[in-house]
Amino acid sequence: MFEKIKLFFGGRDSQGYDRHGFDKTGRDRDGYDRRGFSRKGIHKITGTVYDEEGYNVKGFDSDGEHREYAHLKGNRISFLEQGILCIDLHGMNVKAAVLLLEEVLSSYYDIHRIIIIHGHVHGSSLRNVISTFDHPRITKIITGLYNEGMTVFDIKEKENDE
């Protein structure tokens, strides 16, 4: 009983494995890492150098895209109304957020305002970077317009042939 409680709170069993079955080096009893790759880079389920989601041991897919940035085109972008785009950056790191903003500013043509939700308490590092973000299409940066967890970009509409 005490052994199970110890494992639950971060301890290791008598063979050195944590409650998820991984040793101190991050390998399971069969020698696979947390994502299922062997030391040679072969995935235990697919039997190839790619996992079930199509990423290799270093996190890249066959097109060279990294898994860390795969969520950039997910449900983070939405149109509120004509010409106003909303981007939710909650939980993103600064590098990924900057990449997403640059992609949006270069891809979306008929928008004149972007509302960026970065969060109030945990979004302070994002807010600091976003409030000084520099891009030729940005005409005005407004912080705290709706609340402290949002920043607004007023931008020049981009012509399709630019």
Side-chain angles (χ1 to χ4, degrees):
M1 178 70 175
F2 180 71
E3 184 74 20
K4 288 182 182 180
I5 293 172
K6 182 179 157 189
L7 272 176
F8 182 78
F9 288 106
R12 298 198 175 272
D13 65 11
S14 59
Q15 295 175 334
Y17 293 96
D18 63 14
R19 67 184 171 132
H20 302 289
F22 294 98
D23 63 12
K24 290 181 181 179
T25 64
R27 300 269 172 197
D28 65 10
R29 287 175 168 78
D30 297 325
Y32 293 98
D33 67 9
R34 294 184 186 274
R35 290 196 347 253
F37 287 99
S38 69
R39 294 190 197 290
K40 294 182 180 180
I42 304 299
H43 196 264
K44 68 179 174 183
I45 295 174
T46 64
T48 66
V49 294
Y50 295 103
D51 63 10
E52 304 96 326
E53 297 173 356
Y55 296 100
N56 66 13
V57 68
K58 293 186 178 181
F60 291 95
D61 64 10
S62 59
D63 295 328
E65 298 291 326
H66 197 275
R67 80 170 51 244
E68 181 179 346
Y69 305 113
H71 65 281
L72 291 182
K73 295 179 182 173
N75 296 328
R76 296 188 173 273
I77 301 173
S78 60
F79 281 95
L80 297 180
E81 58 185 67
Q82 184 67 30
I84 299 178
L85 190 69
C86 182
I87 304 173
D88 185 0
L89 302 180
H90 277 105
M92 292 180 77
N93 63 37
V94 172
K95 184 177 179 181
V98 167
L99 285 172
L100 178 60
L101 289 174
E102 288 173 351
E103 181 180 331
V104 165
L105 287 166
S106 64
S107 301
Y108 288 90
Y109 297 103
D110 56 348
I111 54 175
H112 61 272
R113 176 168 275 188
I114 300 174
I115 299 172
I116 302 161
I117 304 169
H118 45 68
H120 174 61
V121 177
H122 299 291
S124 59
S125 60
L126 285 172
R127 181 178 57 239
N128 294 340
V129 170
I130 290 167
S131 65
T132 60
F133 194 77
D134 186 34
H135 192 276
R137 287 188 66 197
I138 299 174
T139 58
K140 189 176 189 182
I141 298 175
I142 308 164
T143 56
L145 179 63
Y146 300 111
N147 67 45
E148 291 299 316
M150 300 171 114
T151 300
V152 177
F153 288 170
D154 283 341
I155 62 171
K156 292 184 256 183
E157 288 190 22
K158 184 177 178 181
E159 300 297 324
N160 286 335
D161 57 331
E162 273 188 48

